[in-house]
Amino acid sequence: MALLSSHKPTGDSTSDSAGKAARRPVGRPVGAAPGTLPGLAMAVAGVGLAWTVHRLVPAVPMLTAAVVLGIAAAHLPVVRPRVRGIGKPGLTLAGKRLMRIGIVLLGLKLSLDDVLGLGWATVAMVLAVVAATFFGTLWLGRRLGLRGDQPLLIATGYSICGASAIGAVSEVSGSDEEDVATSVALVTLCGTLAIAVLPLLHHPLGLDDAQFGRWVGAGVHDVGQVVATAQTAGPAALGDAVLVKLMRVALLAPLVAAVAVSVRNRRRAAVAAEAAVAVEAGGPAGAGAAGGGAAQPAGKRPPLVPLFVLGFLAMVAVRTTGLVPGSALDAAQHAQELLLAAALFGLGSAVHLPTLTRTGGRVAALGLCSWVVIAGASYGGVLLTT
């Protein structure tokens, strides 16, 4: 069920249709949805406010500020009716479409030459940390009984690249809007806390600047949060942190492809199960689809590799050639940050805190445990490879 949707009991079809016709605004065609411009304008305003917050408080990444402002907009009495009413179509569009474009441009940050320059030991360390965090979080989330795709989305956000990864995986998994919003809120909160907590552990853990940078790159979720955390230890730490982080970003493409394959297989199995039930009941194999159309959504298969992931890989290849001028890379980086900020504002506006409190304790427990796992695994990996 979508977070802000409402379902009413079905009554007499004639009276129901008459009631809907009476409530329909004059001049709006039957079936017409509100335009997206109001919501997109809200997203642009949210990006402007997030940029202002970042300029005033540089330690707060713009993407983090965008999520927080989106959540605030969804709960402030003055703007809440507009956010959940006329603005919802545009904000939903921002959370989906603009997120895809931003992820494509994110590929221009990554060059294979830079990754390989860190050495195969570091590559193996990143793979091990991502695998341990992803599967450990996924397993624990299911044991805690979290609803829907929350375990998958939270595991993705912690292990790969925060809210951007959650948005990418939710596109192919068809995740509920509420699950996406809850996962983004949790990962953003923990990543923001890392900006304050990890620098305090720099010297007590016996890490030099380069080691600290790699630890931050392997253990902090969002790229902006990595930059904000690692810069406290100087330029050397920041350089290593960004490279290690981008190695995790590179794993987004295979992860999304794997989720797409899993979804296709699950839907194929659902169709086969429905057909088997229909045969056992003595009816034709297609009876389920004919009865209510339930089998048709299950049979709709997502692409093995979504188009925006192919675009991400293409941008990585383009960056690796070294032919893109620095001015173009800078412009693409600014565009990517603005697009992702608008998308995250849209996702933040879908968070409904009263609903979140129903599973808040279990979600918070999963977030804390996953944070400990990725911090511990990355710390051990850095010590073993440096």
Side-chain angles (χ1 to χ4, degrees), residues 153-207:
L153 298 175
I154 293 172
T156 300
Y158 271 83
S159 60
I160 303 293
C161 55
S164 302
I166 291 173
V169 168
S170 67
E171 288 290 327
V172 297
S173 63
S175 301
D176 183 275
E177 187 181 28
E178 180 181 346
D179 292 343
V180 176
T182 299
S183 303
V184 166
L186 175 67
V187 172
T188 300
L189 173 62
C190 290
T192 303
L193 291 176
I195 299 173
V197 174
L198 265 60
L200 299 178
L201 302 176
H202 178 182
H203 297 296
L205 290 178
L207 299 173

Side-chain angles (χ1 to χ4, degrees), residues 2 34 50 59 70 121 128 134 154-155 167 219 226 263 322 347 360:
F134 179 80
I154 293 172
V226 167
V263 171
L347 289 176

Side-chain angles (χ1 to χ4, degrees), residues 163-335:
S164 302
I166 291 173
V169 168
S170 67
E171 288 290 327
V172 297
S173 63
S175 301
D176 183 275
E177 187 181 28
E178 180 181 346
D179 292 343
V180 176
T182 299
S183 303
V184 166
L186 175 67
V187 172
T188 300
L189 173 62
C190 290
T192 303
L193 291 176
I195 299 173
V197 174
L198 265 60
L200 299 178
L201 302 176
H202 178 182
H203 297 296
L205 290 178
L207 299 173
D208 60 31
D209 290 348
Q211 288 176 322
F212 177 74
R214 295 191 178 198
W215 182 47
V216 170
V220 179
H221 317 318
D222 183 80
V223 176
Q225 295 163 347
V226 167
V227 171
T229 307
Q231 67 185 359
T232 61
L238 179 59
D240 278 4
V242 171
L243 284 178
V244 171
K245 175 61 189 175
L246 292 179
M247 289 174 61
R248 290 168 60 197
V249 173
L251 297 177
L252 177 62
L255 177 62
V256 171
V259 172
V261 171
S262 175
V263 171
R264 285 167 64 99
N265 292 339
R266 195 164 62 239
R267 291 178 178 174
R268 188 184 297 116
V271 171
E274 288 183 4
V277 170
V279 170
E280 290 179 3
Q296 291 177 358
K300 183 180 178 182
R301 297 182 297 179
L304 284 176
V305 182
L307 185 60
F308 70 91
V309 175
L310 292 176
F312 171 85
L313 294 175
M315 292 300 101
V316 173
V318 168
R319 174 64 187 271
T320 303
T321 65
L323 300 178
V324 184
S327 58
L329 292 176
D330 290 340
Q333 178 176 343
H334 291 312

Side-chain angles (χ1 to χ4, degrees), residues 5-382:
S5 64
S6 60
H7 297 271
K8 297 180 180 180
T10 303
D12 177 73
S13 58
T14 304
S15 60
D16 186 55
S17 300
K20 289 180 179 178
R23 293 190 299 268
R24 187 180 300 125
V26 177
R28 178 180 294 175
V30 176
T36 58
L37 287 180
L40 290 175
M42 293 179 189
V44 171
V47 171
L49 289 174
W51 180 84
T52 302
V53 170
H54 175 62
R55 294 287 294 179
L56 294 175
V57 188
V60 178
M62 186 170 68
L63 300 186
T64 299
V67 175
V68 174
L69 289 170
I71 296 174
H75 294 85
L76 290 176
V78 177
V79 296
R80 179 176 57 198
R82 294 180 177 85
V83 168
R84 297 184 178 177
I86 192 174
K88 185 179 178 183
L91 291 170
T92 300
L93 178 68
K96 292 180 178 292
R97 304 293 182 181
L98 299 187
M99 175 69 76
R100 295 177 185 178
I101 301 173
I103 290 171
V104 170
L105 294 179
L106 188 61
L108 285 174
K109 286 188 172 184
L110 182 62
S111 168
L112 294 180
D113 294 335
D114 292 336
V115 171
L116 296 177
L118 289 174
W120 289 108
T122 301
V123 173
M125 181 267 289
V126 171
L127 289 173
V129 169
V130 168
T133 305
F134 179 80
F135 290 107
T137 303
L138 186 62
W139 175 84
L140 182 59
R142 289 173 176 169
R143 290 295 299 269
L144 290 172
L146 293 186
R147 52 158 285 168
D149 285 338
Q150 285 181 0
L152 170 65
L153 298 175
I154 293 172
T156 300
Y158 271 83
S159 60
I160 303 293
C161 55
S164 302
I166 291 173
V169 168
S170 67
E171 288 290 327
V172 297
S173 63
S175 301
D176 183 275
E177 187 181 28
E178 180 181 346
D179 292 343
V180 176
T182 299
S183 303
V184 166
L186 175 67
V187 172
T188 300
L189 173 62
C190 290
T192 303
L193 291 176
I195 299 173
V197 174
L198 265 60
L200 299 178
L201 302 176
H202 178 182
H203 297 296
L205 290 178
L207 299 173
D208 60 31
D209 290 348
Q211 288 176 322
F212 177 74
R214 295 191 178 198
W215 182 47
V216 170
V220 179
H221 317 318
D222 183 80
V223 176
Q225 295 163 347
V226 167
V227 171
T229 307
Q231 67 185 359
T232 61
L238 179 59
D240 278 4
V242 171
L243 284 178
V244 171
K245 175 61 189 175
L246 292 179
M247 289 174 61
R248 290 168 60 197
V249 173
L251 297 177
L252 177 62
L255 177 62
V256 171
V259 172
V261 171
S262 175
V263 171
R264 285 167 64 99
N265 292 339
R266 195 164 62 239
R267 291 178 178 174
R268 188 184 297 116
V271 171
E274 288 183 4
V277 170
V279 170
E280 290 179 3
Q296 291 177 358
K300 183 180 178 182
R301 297 182 297 179
L304 284 176
V305 182
L307 185 60
F308 70 91
V309 175
L310 292 176
F312 171 85
L313 294 175
M315 292 300 101
V316 173
V318 168
R319 174 64 187 271
T320 303
T321 65
L323 300 178
V324 184
S327 58
L329 292 176
D330 290 340
Q333 178 176 343
H334 291 312
Q336 171 247 317
E337 290 179 349
L338 294 174
L339 288 167
L340 288 182
L344 293 177
F345 181 87
L347 289 176
S349 70
V351 174
H352 189 228
L353 292 180
T355 302
L356 180 60
T357 57
R358 297 174 191 169
T359 56
R362 286 175 290 163
V363 169
L366 177 60
L368 178 60
C369 291
S370 185
W371 197 12
V372 171
V373 168
I374 193 170
S378 57
Y379 176 69
V382 167

